[in-house]
Amino acid sequence: MAKSASAANIVSSVSARRWEEPLLHGGELAGGRRLFPDAPEPFIDLSTGINPNPYPVSRLPADVFARLPEADGLASLAAIAAQTYGAPSASHVAAAPGTQILLPLVAALVRPGRAAVLAPSYGEFARVAALAGHSVAEADGLAAIGDAQLILVANPNNPDGRLFARNDLMALAGNLRAHGGLLVVDEAFMDVASSGASLSAEVSGGNIVVLRSFGKFFGLAGVRLGFALAAPNIAARLAAMLGPWAVSGPALAIGAKALADAAWIEKTRIRLEGSAKKLDGILTSAGLDVLGGTNLFRLVRTDAAGELFEHLGRAGILVRRFPEQANWLRFGLPANARAWRRLQIALAGFKQSG
Amino acid sequence: MAKSASAANIVSSVSARRWEEPLLHGGELAGGRRLFPDAPEPFIDLSTGINPNPYPVSRLPADVFARLPEADGLASLAAIAAQTYGAPSASHVAAAPGTQILLPLVAALVRPGRAAVLAPSYGEFARVAALAGHSVAEADGLAAIGDAQLILVANPNNPDGRLFARNDLMALAGNLRAHGGLLVVDEAFMDVASSGASLSAEVSGGNIVVLRSFGKFFGLAGVRLGFALAAPNIAARLAAMLGPWAVSGPALAIGAKALADAAWIEKTRIRLEGSAKKLDGILTSAGLDVLGGTNLFRLVRTDAAGELFEHLGRAGILVRRFPEQANWLRFGLPANARAWRRLQIALAGFKQSG
């Protein structure tokens, strides 16, 4: 009896127990195989918004696995990230093993109070805000965001691809400033958005934090690398919470090389734009209504979403469904000609049978 | 004016600003090279307690870099870690990108109050406890630990290698239980300690958290992998704070293989024991007083610590010094015969000149 009571004391000092349940995410191919055990292999994973043609990882020196990542390596990665993402300087950058791990730390930069998250959006926003002790309200657009000390939005938004205007976000940040609130803009898919929408250059004021994801655009989500761009005191605070060696040796090496490769970045932006257009064509040919998306994924709305998910799954193609939006499906980009063909055939088969 | 005031509001909601300065750690070879620019290469890094002969990293499939780490992979890693470390079950394990990143989260499991840390010990204990809002007292032994809600100790201790008896730690945890306190035992070097000292099997009660480091014993500190062993509700809480995909694809693949390799683990324990004895011999032959250590490092005390650090540095050998203990130096293990010889020659040269 005494045992469990004391244990409860320790953990109950933090609220939001229900947010300790993991959320449903894409990328769970093993789960897809369990759902569709008779599907043809290779299973095609279109359930994420990750570039399926990754930046090439060359053979890594053994040292990057063996040695502690050094401060010099982290400093040069921060400088490269600042340059590529357009942050004012390296001191405005906190590097982390993925933006996901930054989210609870960013949410805890503000004393527990009212948080507002855009919805529908990335489900983790509400979860981490609640974990940090905030009461969370959802808003269906910037105008609907009421009084809040912490606002979390994705720009462009996931999964619908809504792109918010820089000026509208700056106005929101300006209003927040008056009562010491913080605007967090998750620019996970900004790499493939039209230029000029990012707030990366606007973080010096101190109440805007921009999150940039390495793994999605570069197709290297397993590396775990992400960045917070923020005023230097906030970036330092986040770095202190992460502690030394937060970014792995492989992530330092791969990240520094990839983020500096302007030619690959430009080529990839163009390629992804073409792929997204091609995907639109295939989806609309199949009679599906494309609601939106970014050049890394497309969102469709269909009353037959459940049946289509099953149909594609049986054909060995996993897409992303949304329990809270039963008529939505999100499609990532196929990796190669064979995968494109299989998707096209599967969708055509569904249209005929439908 | 309004700008900086609001920014201050956001960050000042958390105390302990001075703990945002990074601490001095080992493993900074670039810093060593700057201190000793004329030293012969290759520079030998003895400034850490990391096994210099790492578990072999075989060629990794491209998928581990490209794809999001899947829940199945994390679950099997947790099961293997529970088995190898002797935790009650996989649900008692939270895997993270290094124990370092777990420390602030563990310190925040308890409401801000009084924390006690063993000293001298790992400098990060006091830093993370202060970051979590605790007032921190240092104690020079278990008996000197007064009333505290959070106690952080390393067992065996770093850098002096003190090994605390399991029963003494269990008694400490028992006292803490009465007022809902938490005992955190960092077993970073337990892999090379005599068996029977670990508290890994004792975490079910709910007020003991054991931290286990992957990188030190396996010599793969760049991979960033570590574990908290704790009661399931605490392990779940930590996993929720870390969020999905906290452990990278390479870390999942390498960790699962290495932790299951009982033959390599046994062979390595024996080899490290031999290496530590050899290091003792070399150090004592040089007239140095070996204070203690683990089989991954040795601590020496000498009034000439400053001169010896310089002498070794000029010979291209970096050891660990301790600003707060000016007459201490810590020596890690040389990686190969050439490095052993260079250490031996450099120490002999110092003895003659001294």
Side-chain angles (χ1 to χ4, degrees):
Chain A
M1 288 300 287
K3 271 190 183 187
S4 50
S6 295
N9 284 345
I10 291 165
V11 170
S12 69
S13 67
V14 202
S15 62
R17 299 294 304 280
R18 79 182 177 98
W19 294 103
E20 294 175 15
E21 292 300 308
L23 303 182
L24 176 72
H25 289 288
E28 290 288 342
L29 209 41
R33 287 197 170 99
R34 276 193 295 271
L35 275 178
F36 306 106
D38 301 324
E41 290 283 345
F43 221 104
I44 296 172
D45 185 8
L46 304 185
S47 70
T48 74
I50 297 164
N51 178 356
N53 299 118
Y55 188 82
V57 175
S58 49
R59 212 195 177 95
L60 295 166
D63 261 15
V64 306
F65 295 99
R67 292 185 50 79
L68 279 170
E70 294 201 38
D72 278 24
L74 191 64
S76 54
L77 177 67
I80 293 164
Q83 172 103 34
T84 300
Y85 292 132
S89 80
S91 65
H92 292 75
V93 177
T99 49
Q100 177 64 49
I101 218 163
L102 281 167
L103 278 172
L105 306 184
V106 169
L109 287 172
V110 184
R111 275 199 195 83
R114 271 177 308 226
V117 301
L118 198 70
S121 186
Y122 185 49
E124 293 283 340
F125 294 159
R127 191 184 73 87
V128 301
L131 265 181
H134 302 285
S135 68
V136 184
E138 299 189 331
D140 63 4
L142 298 190
I145 291 174
D147 189 29
Q149 287 79 52
L150 174 70
I151 298 177
L152 289 147
V153 300
N155 195 34
N157 191 37
N158 171 14
D160 59 14
R162 266 185 296 174
L163 189 68
F164 299 104
R166 217 174 139 285
N167 285 347
D168 292 345
L169 290 171
M170 290 302 289
L172 192 61
N175 293 341
L176 275 174
R177 203 191 295 288
H179 52 278
L182 183 70
L183 172 65
V184 180
V185 185
D186 185 349
E187 297 189 353
F189 294 100
M190 187 58 83
D191 309 66
V192 292
S194 54
S195 63
S198 172
L199 293 195
S200 290
E202 309 296 339
V203 296
S204 293
N207 77 328
I208 298 174
V209 174
V210 168
L211 300 176
R212 300 293 301 235
S213 167
F214 174 76
K216 293 176 182 73
F217 176 74
F218 289 95
L220 293 170
V223 166
R224 309 313 298 142
L225 179 61
F227 302 90
L229 314 180
N233 63 329
I234 294 179
R237 167 79 198 169
L238 294 171
M241 291 298 297
L242 293 164
W245 321 300
V247 178
S248 72
L252 281 180
I254 295 168
K257 192 174 168 209
L259 283 167
D261 193 341
W264 189 91
I265 291 171
E266 184 52 25
K267 191 181 64 184
T268 300
R269 279 200 185 115
I270 294 167
R271 191 182 53 72
L272 292 171
E273 193 181 349
S275 296
K277 286 213 176 90
K278 184 174 173 180
L279 184 57
D280 280 346
I282 292 177
L283 294 169
T284 51
S285 294
L288 295 168
D289 178 19
V290 178
L291 269 188
T294 73
N295 287 343
L296 281 165
F297 59 80
R298 286 299 199 239
L299 181 70
V300 306
R301 178 173 47 197
T302 164
D303 291 339
E307 295 89 323
L308 180 54
F309 178 84
E310 295 283 331
H311 174 83
L312 292 171
R314 284 192 301 270
I317 299 170
L318 186 66
V319 298
R320 176 78 154 85
R321 53 184 170 173
F322 299 86
E324 67 285 8
Q325 300 280 345
N327 59 350
W328 283 8
L329 289 179
R330 197 187 63 190
F331 288 72
L333 299 175
N336 51 45
R338 197 176 133 76
W340 279 106
R341 205 162 44 240
R342 280 179 59 190
L343 175 64
Q344 200 157 12
I345 291 168
L347 285 173
F350 185 72
K351 193 185 174 191
Q352 285 176 350
S353 72
Chain B
M1 285 301 289
K3 272 189 181 188
S4 51
S6 295
N9 284 346
I10 291 166
V11 170
S12 70
S13 67
V14 203
S15 60
R17 298 294 304 279
R18 78 183 180 96
W19 294 103
E20 294 175 17
E21 292 299 307
L23 303 181
L24 177 72
H25 289 288
E28 289 289 342
L29 208 43
R33 286 197 171 99
R34 276 193 293 271
L35 275 178
F36 306 106
D38 301 324
E41 288 284 346
F43 221 104
I44 296 172
D45 186 8
L46 305 184
S47 70
T48 74
I50 297 163
N51 179 355
N53 299 117
Y55 188 81
V57 175
S58 49
R59 210 192 178 98
L60 295 166
D63 261 14
V64 305
F65 295 99
R67 291 184 51 79
L68 278 171
E70 293 201 39
D72 278 23
L74 191 65
S76 54
L77 178 67
I80 293 164
Q83 172 102 33
T84 300
Y85 292 132
S89 80
S91 65
H92 292 76
V93 177
T99 51
Q100 176 65 48
I101 218 162
L102 281 166
L103 278 171
L105 306 183
V106 168
L109 287 172
V110 184
R111 275 201 195 81
R114 270 175 308 223
V117 301
L118 197 71
S121 186
Y122 184 49
E124 292 283 341
F125 294 159
R127 190 184 73 88
V128 300
L131 264 181
H134 302 285
S135 67
V136 185
E138 298 190 328
D140 64 4
L142 298 189
I145 290 174
D147 188 28
Q149 286 80 51
L150 173 71
I151 298 178
L152 289 146
V153 300
N155 195 34
N157 192 37
N158 171 16
D160 59 14
R162 267 185 296 174
L163 189 68
F164 299 103
R166 218 173 137 288
N167 286 347
D168 292 345
L169 290 171
M170 289 302 287
L172 191 62
N175 293 341
L176 274 175
R177 201 189 297 286
H179 53 279
L182 183 70
L183 173 64
V184 180
V185 186
D186 184 350
E187 298 189 352
F189 295 100
M190 187 58 85
D191 310 67
V192 292
S194 54
S195 63
S198 173
L199 293 197
S200 290
E202 309 296 340
V203 295
S204 292
N207 77 329
I208 297 175
V209 173
V210 169
L211 300 176
R212 300 292 301 235
S213 167
F214 174 77
K216 294 176 181 73
F217 176 72
F218 289 95
L220 293 171
V223 167
R224 308 316 296 143
L225 179 61
F227 302 90
L229 313 180
N233 62 330
I234 294 179
R237 167 80 197 165
L238 293 172
M241 290 296 298
L242 292 164
W245 321 300
V247 178
S248 73
L252 282 180
I254 296 169
K257 193 174 168 207
L259 283 166
D261 192 341
W264 188 92
I265 291 172
E266 183 54 24
K267 192 181 65 181
T268 299
R269 280 200 183 114
I270 294 167
R271 190 181 54 73
L272 292 171
E273 192 180 351
S275 296
K277 288 214 175 89
K278 184 173 172 181
L279 183 57
D280 280 345
I282 291 176
L283 295 169
T284 51
S285 295
L288 295 169
D289 179 17
V290 177
L291 270 189
T294 74
N295 288 342
L296 281 166
F297 59 82
R298 287 300 201 238
L299 181 69
V300 306
R301 179 173 45 198
T302 165
D303 290 338
E307 295 89 322
L308 180 53
F309 177 85
E310 295 282 331
H311 174 84
L312 291 170
R314 283 191 301 269
I317 299 170
L318 185 67
V319 298
R320 176 77 153 88
R321 54 185 169 170
F322 298 86
E324 68 285 6
Q325 300 280 344
N327 59 350
W328 283 9
L329 288 178
R330 196 186 65 190
F331 288 72
L333 300 175
N336 51 46
R338 196 176 135 77
W340 279 105
R341 203 160 49 238
R342 278 179 59 189
L343 175 64
Q344 201 157 11
I345 291 169
L347 285 172
F350 184 73
K351 194 184 173 193
Q352 284 175 350
S353 70

